[in-house]
Amino acid sequence: MHQRTKIAVAVALALNSIAAFAQQADAPQRVEITGSRIRAVDTETAQPILKISQAQIQAAGLITVGDILNQMTSAGGDPAFSKGSSLSSNRETGGQYADMRNLGSQRLLVLVNGKRWTQSVDGFTDMSTIPTSMIDRLEVLKDGASAIYGSDAIAGVINVILKKSMEGGNLSIYAGKNEKGDGQAKDFSLTYGAGNDKASLMFGLTHSLTDPVWAKEREITRFSKGPDHHKSGLGTSPWGRIRPVNPDGSVNTDGFNHILNHTGSYDGVGVGADSRNPANYHPYTGAEQDAFNSASQMMYIMPNKLTSIFTKGTIQLPMDMRFTTTAMYAKRDSSRQVAGYPLSSGTQATYPVYLDKDSYFNPYGNQVAGAGKGQDLFFYRRTVDVPRVSENSNQTLHIDATLEGELNLRGLPWNWSVGYNHSAINGTNVNTGNLNLPNLKKAVGPSFRNPAGVIQCGTAASPIPLAECTPFDIVGGPSAATPAALNYVMSTGQATYGSTVNSATADLSGELFTLPAGALGVAGGIERREVRGYDRLGQFEQSGLSTDLAGLSTSGGYTVKEAYLEANIPLLKGVPFAELLSVDFASRYSDYSNFGTTTNNKASFMWKPVKDMLVRGTIAEGFRAPTVGDTFGGGSQSYDDYADPCDSKDGDAASSPATAARCAAAGVPATYRQLNQAGQPVGSGGGQSTVPFMSGAGNADLKPETALTRTLGFVYNPSFVPGLTIGLDWFYIKISNRINAVESTYTANQCYVSGVQSFCDKIKRDPVSGMITSLSHGNANMGQLSTEGADLALSYRLPKNAYGQFNLRSESTYVASFKEKSTDDADWIGYAGEFANNRLKSSLSLDWSLGNWAATFTTRYYSALRGHCFSATVECSNPGAKASWGTNYNKVKATTYSDLNVSYKTSWKGQIMVGANNLFNKKPVINYDAGSGVDSGPSSSSSVDPNLPIDRFFYARYNQSF
């Protein structure tokens, strides 16, 4: 405190000469509205802003800010790192990330009280770390604002406004669950505040927990392609499949292809026959009993646990100064589980592992066939015995301190502030269920039965001590695996990661002079920001000697120096056809150490032709700087889900001569079928790659994205209908030089459907079968992205009557166009009306209150979508019709959900709240684009969108003030 006082006195002395000329004058409170740094009395803005109150947050029946924001009609339909993406290995998995207009969470800036919040190494802000109990309101700017706030503010800005002060405390307890009984959610928060005009302090503690939802628990999610096509989604069997090995180490496709006899089916439950007996095998044909339903071991919704501590303090200082500081620490623990590893001899091309001809368990080995007659075997076997589990522990620390004050210059009000912002994320990731390939190679290498009857590694002449190696009956299946063997061949992977953002800011705003139409307001400031981050895999994981797939570490950072200036100029006021006319100009200059400089400008206007009508519009330049991960990402191998356009039955080549010709030119046979890991043809939804692809590599030559945003709209408050407000805003956003993490399906489509050679250079195919054997995709400045549409907002507060107070609220977003092109010379591809890009989303809420009672009824509408067909002839409502992926699409019908919240305030300062989301229990539908097989949809386990309700959800909350 002594140090803070010294700082305050120093600043006061520096401003003393200016303050000597200041004159005290009573004036209405001037506030800063999101989208402008100029404080003003009038809160009407030239930018469309959606405000969500604390009461609306609680009435939503949700416990994280991210979930609440993702229900906005302007929010994207597929937020980053979906809670259903259990196959995702990103460090952000388990958090909540908001999206705006499907432009990506990384293109949306998140502020807390006007200050940047924490970001991951890839530039994502976890909204779940912001405690909802401390929020006063959310302000969502549906406009570009790089000229005001800098990088990332392309799609919009979310500003979380915290409570300024509290007197007393509040305890809130919440519990909810799906009607089926799973997906339980619990939330506890305790907040307390005290103070007076001189000093105040607030404290908050929150703890929330959500339980998993397992795919196997519902018929519609039990299989990755739905219950009607369960065989299509099956993968590698847990029962050993064997084939001969060519001299070069590749699988001999002309030889036998046998799988072990066993009981049970695709559920992995059963007993395998004696794997040493060659007679105990049958020809492998891909029958469903010889495959495995990986969804049976996968989470549909991943669990999450979050604990946060938050404090905020303000102290009044001399000379109209204030010192404010906030501090937040949050710890998030999340986990994900997917099916056991689909192991094969060729899992790692640089380190193949075969069932050795001298292995005791080799049915074609020397110990069975006779000395000198044995052969190595290529094997396939999913290790369902040990599902893959990843535990992610993430800690977030945010501290900011601001010294601010007011003064008068020539009788005009001014505000100044200097501040420092520190945000840091660090975490650990521990995973199990992968295999240690060197140990596996020993375990399936030479082995023998020793005199004690124990199977031992090595040979009788050169045994390996039992403590150093445990033989593994790899083809015997789960019933033959011993705990000792599994412990020997399995590995534990780990990684550490973190990112830090430090920034220092200085801002000044006020009124230069008064014009006939009002005061000319200005704001300006400077900022220096330092960003650094890392993501370090363990040495063993980097080596490529694990089925955890090889990867390289990410490490790097950059600094940026910025300055901005904004001016609001009132032109007319109180004249015919111009009750108000003003313009606002802003410009921001940024100097980045990693790519250079950029300047971004913004112009907006407000015009009131009459008192009831406000017309507004903006035109703004925006940018997004490459993140640490974009630039310095190490990249890693991954088994990608993809759909090959060259598939002769369900790919675009089946109906497009141009695509077929490009595939043929690449050496793809005319009868080619894409095969899954079980060796069976996939449907149009694609399947997982049979070999690892390379993804996520950084690019040091990346340049920032640039954007152009235009908006035009009006707000109408008719005086003859008190309480009615109508707002309509048109928007257009175009992003150029796009930084994109390219998907496998996108890479293949750009090559064969669109004919872009630069993408073809990243693909290699087997010269005989035509299967893709190598595909690399990383980050690139790649083409353009644009969207256009309109937001409609309606609000009507009805006159109060004997039945209570009623209020209608409605928000709608119509997307006229959402399109992209892979390069500046490529053709535009439209996605509006396809998965996650609903043409129309709308919500309508009816609020009611009477005495201590209150209720909110909300309906949410999602328009119909075009999706991938299961095949050209099955579940294909529009065969031959054009879509972004080529031809053939299936129409997924429009959906409406209804939510109800009812509350009662007690006489002892309590509030009881109960509710149900998806009140009428709207059932989920199959949408193949929601699965991970098509452009990495949000669900890893099924073809059901995890961002929509799976069930009716009941909840209750109790609030107690004291």
Side-chain angles (χ1 to χ4, degrees), residues 343-354 378-380 639 690-692:
L343 185 65
S344 76
S345 291
T347 290
Q348 282 285 10
T350 58
Y351 198 89
V353 177
Y354 308 104
F378 196 102
F379 64 83
Y380 306 81
Y639 280 94
T690 57
V691 295

Side-chain angles (χ1 to χ4, degrees), residues 569-586:
I569 307 170
L571 300 178
L572 297 171
K573 184 176 182 179
V575 300
F577 303 107
E579 288 292 328
L580 169 69
L581 177 62
S582 67
V583 293
D584 189 285
F585 299 101

Side-chain angles (χ1 to χ4, degrees), residues 100-117:
M100 186 78 75
R101 308 202 188 285
N102 276 315
L103 295 177
S105 300
Q106 71 277 31
R107 298 186 181 100
L108 178 66
L109 180 62
V110 177
L111 308 173
V112 175
N113 283 346
K115 300 177 177 65
R116 284 177 177 263
W117 202 241

Side-chain angles (χ1 to χ4, degrees), residues 523-534:
I526 57 176
E527 178 177 0
R528 185 185 188 278
R529 191 164 66 251
E530 181 185 63
V531 181
R532 61 181 185 272
Y534 66 91

Side-chain angles (χ1 to χ4, degrees), residues 1 139 151 171 262 266 299 332 385 387 646 671 794 852 916 949:
M1 181 60 71
E139 291 185 352
S151 179
L171 173 68
H262 60 90
Y266 50 74
M299 293 174 177
R332 173 170 55 80
D385 330 58
C646 292
T671 58
L794 300 172
N852 293 338

Side-chain angles (χ1 to χ4, degrees), residues 86-89 93 299 302 334-338 388-390:
S86 53
L87 278 171
S88 173
S89 59
T93 300
M299 293 174 177
M302 295 176 287
S334 59
S335 64
R336 58 186 180 89
Q337 178 176 308
V338 297
R388 287 168 286 172
V389 176
S390 179

Side-chain angles (χ1 to χ4, degrees), residues 374-395:
Q375 58 179 308
D376 294 338
L377 295 179
F378 196 102
F379 64 83
Y380 306 81
R381 201 276 218 195
R382 185 184 291 271
T383 54
V384 300
D385 330 58
V386 187
R388 287 168 286 172
V389 176
S390 179
E391 302 286 347
N392 189 4
S393 180
N394 177 294
Q395 296 86 40

